[in-house]
Amino acid sequence: MGGIKRIVLILTAVMLMLVVDAGAGKDRIYNNVSGERRNLLANGLGVTPPMGWNSWNHFGCNINESTIRETADAIISTGLAKLGYKYVNIDDCWAESTRDKQGNFVAKKSTFPSGIKALADYVHNKGLKLGIYTDSGSMTCSKKMPGSLGYEEQDAKTFASWGIDYLKYDNCYNEGIKPTVRYPIMTKALMNAGRPIFFSLCEWGDMHPALWASKVGNSWRTTNDIKDTWLSMMYIADMNEVYADYARPGGWNDPDMLEVGNGGMTNDEYIVHFSIWAISKAPLLIGCDVRDVSKETFNILTNREVIAVNQDRLGVQAKKVRMEGDLEVWAGPLSGYRVVVLLVNRGPATSLMTAHWDDIGLHPNTTVMARDLWLHKVLRERPVGNLSATVASHACKMFVLRPVS
Ligand SMILES: *[C@@H]1O[C@H](CO)[C@@H](O)[C@H](O)[C@H]1NC(C)=O
Ligand SMILES: *[C@@H]1O[C@H](CO)[C@@H](O)[C@H](O)[C@H]1NC(C)=O
Ligand SMILES: *[C@@H]1O[C@H](CO)[C@@H](O)[C@H](O)[C@H]1NC(C)=O
Ligand SMILES: *[C@@H]1O[C@H](CO)[C@@H](O)[C@H](O)[C@H]1NC(C)=O
């Protein structure tokens, strides 16, 4: 190769690199939610659904730094952390109602006198992560603290400087500005803040965030707030199921936090709640007081096999594949050609339920090993073509099927 040709080649290569680089810069600057461009949010978080705890469902606004610290202690001492529950998330009401002279958030002096940074250090020392909450409007939903609208860059930097790992971003007092405009501003602010922060959009499903939020956040609420009742929980499960195709590693549908252990449902109903959240690849954020859990609650939250389904690396959300009145078969694929099946009885009477292979993505001739994840037992017979089980009212059966021939 001649010297001139070589120089031309090198120059061409350099120019190509420059062009590619300029293109990348443009993408960052001009990215928008309607354009099919690069992900706004490339923080590498949420490869599996997040697991942890949040203060809201049990404590509401009645929180302080000792409660949060004791919760972190309990997450360790009960063994929940070892099972994957890592995020300790503070919800609404942690800040003073006004910002300081520089416009910074100030932790509420009467309840968080040591400040949020100290709390972050405390939970980090235990190997846990700290989450916080603000709002994409002028105030949070409690009206007790300011929102971040207009302060996105500043607040993201504050959170990063405190060592925050997770942000729940609510939708109150939004001044009628569309979420597709408000949320990406915080996405960019978080990307510029210098610390990977899991971004949890709490947009209540208003504008079908599953359709646009995979580029904006690591999870997006698909529904209104959950209540600690069977009807609310199942209603939310139904709404969230519609968007199953949009969940994937890095971006998850969020049907809201768990109510398991808060007392409004029966033990069987809480088992259904936890099972549906697990197969739906929902964030598993405990919503009860983990310093004081019953044995029944503990057994639900610590079911390793059910957690493993939620954390399966395939990251595919299960769907309802068959409904006959109140009897529903939910199923979804898992890694290793396995299938998870959940038989849910929403009716008033104990019923025999059947999952048919052609409904759950298995060839009808496939023989499987079926493991019951709540009895922790492999069924003695190896089913072919279908699997039947008796399911009590407001209860479920959960199986993982592993093809053997
Ligand atoms: C968003 O991106 C698309 C595709 O790149 C472009 O056509 C559109 O004009 C952009 N919209 C805005 C508001 O920037
Ligand atoms: C924190 O809140 C709990 C109850 O919610 C209360 O018992 C406790 O005294 C409070 N601690 C502080 C330091 O305010
Ligand atoms: C399924 O099994 C039946 C009965 O053993 C057999 O007749 C049929 O050919 C099989 N079908 C396939 C596609 O393997
Ligand atoms: C389930 O499959 C078996 C054959 O393996 C068949 O005899 C039975 O009728 C099927 N049950 C239902 C409810 O379809």
Side-chain angles (χ1 to χ4, degrees):
M1 199 185 290
I4 291 180
K5 266 192 194 157
R6 194 175 299 157
I7 288 170
V8 168
L9 261 181
I10 290 171
L11 275 178
T12 309
V14 167
M15 278 166 66
L16 265 176
M17 280 161 67
L18 285 176
V19 167
V20 167
D21 201 46
K26 236 186 212 160
D27 258 2
R28 267 196 296 278
I29 295 162
Y30 296 117
N31 207 338
N32 65 52
V33 270
S34 57
E36 280 307 310
R37 290 188 165 220
R38 180 209 293 241
N39 203 339
L40 268 186
L41 183 77
N43 61 10
L45 299 176
V47 174
T48 60
M51 293 175 64
W53 173 89
N54 173 292
S55 56
W56 186 258
N57 282 355
H58 189 83
F59 294 95
C61 269
N62 191 22
I63 50 170
N64 59 45
E65 61 183 42
S66 3
T67 308
I68 306 295
R69 274 199 303 261
E70 287 166 19
T71 296
D73 297 346
I75 287 173
I76 300 287
S77 64
T78 53
L80 288 168
K82 281 218 177 78
L83 293 168
Y85 295 99
K86 287 281 153 66
Y87 288 103
V88 178
N89 293 352
I90 309 170
D91 208 280
D92 204 349
C93 308
W94 58 268
E96 291 289 351
S97 60
T98 52
R99 292 168 180 272
D100 71 10
K101 287 205 185 72
Q102 288 75 45
N104 295 311
F105 263 129
V106 181
K108 196 168 172 185
K109 292 195 177 66
S110 58
T111 47
F112 291 87
S114 317
I116 304 300
K117 171 91 170 60
L119 211 44
D121 292 344
Y122 186 85
V123 308
H124 289 159
N125 279 336
K126 294 180 170 283
L128 301 174
K129 296 176 180 298
L130 192 71
I132 208 155
Y133 165 99
T134 179
D135 187 283
S136 62
S138 55
M139 280 187 295
T140 64
C141 297
S142 70
K143 298 201 239 181
K144 290 187 196 296
M145 54 177 274
S148 291
L149 186 62
Y151 291 85
E152 293 88 351
E153 285 279 337
Q154 184 168 3
D155 291 349
K157 290 209 166 75
T158 301
F159 296 151
S161 76
W162 288 344
I164 293 295
D165 303 294
Y166 183 115
L167 174 65
K168 172 177 171 185
Y169 204 41
D170 217 338
N171 197 25
C172 284
Y173 306 102
N174 57 49
E175 308 192 340
I177 306 167
K178 286 198 296 190
T180 47
V181 172
R182 282 176 287 118
Y183 283 82
I185 301 174
M186 184 53 96
T187 309
K188 287 181 191 161
L190 290 172
M191 286 303 287
N192 290 335
R195 182 181 175 86
I197 296 178
F198 185 102
F199 191 26
S200 155
L201 278 60
C202 182
E203 183 263 11
W204 317 328
D206 278 6
M207 282 189 65
H208 309 292
L211 308 187
W212 51 268
S214 69
K215 296 188 164 113
V216 178
N218 299 111
S219 67
W220 44 86
R221 282 275 299 279
T222 50
T223 71
N224 266 313
D225 284 9
I226 192 170
K227 293 192 198 76
D228 189 14
T229 66
W230 167 256
L231 283 180
S232 164
M233 184 276 288
M234 288 306 297
Y235 174 69
I236 275 175
D238 290 340
M239 285 182 75
N240 188 64
E241 189 265 347
V242 172
Y243 300 104
D245 285 338
Y246 298 93
R248 51 153 185 74
W252 308 103
N253 289 314
D254 176 5
D256 207 0
M257 301 164 305
L258 297 166
E259 291 284 8
V260 177
N262 280 332
M265 292 182 232
T266 66
N267 196 56
D268 275 350
E269 290 171 343
Y270 279 140
I271 289 174
V272 175
H273 178 16
F274 195 70
S275 301
I276 293 182
W277 263 238
I279 63 170
S280 303
K281 305 297 190 269
L284 295 182
L285 295 172
I286 298 171
C288 68
D289 185 351
V290 293
R291 300 169 307 175
D292 178 27
V293 285
S294 68
K295 192 165 184 327
E296 288 76 17
T297 295
F298 189 73
N299 284 342
I300 296 173
L301 298 174
T302 60
N303 186 322
R304 287 168 192 277
E305 301 193 63
V306 175
I307 292 172
V309 166
N310 178 257
Q311 297 290 304
D312 183 69
R313 63 184 160 82
L314 210 54
V316 176
Q317 179 173 335
K319 295 179 188 174
K320 271 186 235 197
V321 295
R322 184 94 165 221
M323 289 172 68
E324 278 163 26
D326 292 324
L327 307 178
E328 297 182 350
V329 180
W330 297 54
L334 299 174
S335 58
Y337 304 105
R338 294 168 307 145
V339 176
V340 61
V341 177
L342 188 71
L343 308 174
V344 184
N345 181 355
R346 299 172 75 151
T350 297
S351 304
L352 183 69
M353 295 186 63
T354 302
H356 296 275
W357 276 200
D358 54 0
D359 285 330
I360 64 174
L362 288 174
H363 187 277
N365 282 8
T366 310
T367 304
V368 304
M369 248 172 60
R371 184 165 175 88
D372 183 321
L373 302 195
W374 287 104
L375 291 180
H376 303 291
K377 268 192 196 141
V378 175
L379 301 192
R380 219 178 307 123
E381 63 285 13
R382 294 189 162 183
V384 184
N386 64 60
L387 169 62
S388 295
T390 301
V391 187
S393 163
H394 289 200
C396 66
K397 289 275 185 176
M398 186 170 182
F399 300 97
V400 166
L401 311 183
R402 182 191 296 277
V404 289
S405 69

